[in-house]
Amino acid sequence: MKKAILIILVLFLVNSLVAQTKKAIMFNTGLNIPSSTKYFSDYWDASYNFGAGIDIYLNSHLSLQGYIDYNHFPFDGKKVLEDLKESNQGISISGAAINILNLSANVKYHPIDIRQKVSPYILGGIGYANLSFTDLVGTDQRGGLGTLTSESVGALSINFGFGIEFVVSSGISIFVDARYILGFTEGKVVRYTSDGINGVNDKGAYSLKDNTKYIPLRVGISYSL
């Protein structure tokens, strides 16, 4: 009987703590900046991101955060052709954008109580990044057309950053932050299928030469639940 009463009391306490825990859902958009030292930052441009997540506050300074964000990077085919000395040969390249879906579990710390109007924070965590590539389409001066389709690849990722949260009203706040994300893609093998591109096998694979690094600059809104 005493054990049953103790279990009931523990369950009641846990339920009370969960019920009293502040939770918030977040939505963001922003700008991505590629920062890898090879290839990625040379031939892919900055572009947009958007995402959503949930904050579960352990106290008025510390929270656990789950987040999913989508990041887009367009390919600069013109620059590639210039570097290959092919820009005046009637060849054009389009497509080949990189899209990164990153899922992360983070810890967020506010040095100042979150009940203040302005509260800076730092965050960091681990996750999983999935890189996918849109079809690369090439045309030559005779109107010939070729495509290269690549498979997606997944890798462990880490991220860290800092930001500021501004309380707008009861239950609503705006946040602005910057993060550094590192996907451990070096050595990952990407398989491809080629159709009509001279000098490229119909099917093959290539190894990524570097880890994928980028900086998302985000602005978003947080709703308390």
Side-chain angles (χ1 to χ4, degrees), residues 148-220:
L148 188 148
T149 301
S150 300
E151 294 182 356
S152 62
V153 62
L156 177 71
S157 66
I158 59 172
N159 77 94
F160 56 89
F162 61 91
I164 302 177
E165 192 166 338
F166 305 89
V167 175
V168 176
S169 64
S170 176
I172 299 177
S173 60
I174 301 295
F175 64 89
V176 179
D177 66 26
R179 293 185 300 158
Y180 182 84
I181 298 182
L182 167 62
F184 294 97
T185 55
E186 183 177 1
K188 291 287 184 177
V189 176
V190 178
R191 300 190 179 280
Y192 67 82
T193 301
S194 174
D195 178 20
I197 297 182
N198 292 331
V200 178
N201 294 332
D202 289 344
K203 292 184 178 181
Y206 58 91
S207 177
L208 298 180
K209 304 298 184 183
D210 193 18
N211 290 325
T212 302
K213 311 164 193 173
Y214 59 100
I215 301 172
L217 307 175
R218 311 186 305 172
V219 58

Side-chain angles (χ1 to χ4, degrees), residues 22-25 57 170-173 222-225:
K22 177 184 174 182
K23 306 178 189 68
I25 56 173
Y57 282 86
S170 176
I172 299 177
S173 60
S222 175
Y223 299 91
S224 294
L225 300 176

Side-chain angles (χ1 to χ4, degrees), residues 42-120:
D42 291 336
Y43 300 122
W44 279 268
D45 297 326
S47 189
Y48 62 87
N49 66 62
F50 56 84
I54 184 168
D55 253 340
I56 301 175
Y57 282 86
L58 305 180
N59 53 49
S60 60
H61 294 273
L62 188 66
S63 71
L64 302 179
Q65 182 186 90
Y67 221 92
I68 179 170
D69 49 73
Y70 172 84
N71 307 271
H72 178 74
F73 300 90
F75 183 61
D76 190 346
K78 184 177 179 180
K79 184 175 181 181
V80 171
L81 292 174
E82 288 175 350
D83 288 352
L84 293 175
K85 312 300 182 185
E86 298 286 350
S87 57
N88 297 321
Q89 304 302 315
I91 299 172
S92 65
I93 299 175
S94 61
I98 292 178
N99 300 306
I100 302 176
L101 188 66
N102 190 62
L103 292 82
S104 61
N106 308 307
V107 176
K108 186 167 73 169
Y109 175 70
H110 293 256
I112 299 175
D113 195 303
I114 60 171
R115 290 169 289 192
Q116 301 298 316
K117 289 291 185 181
V118 180
S119 178

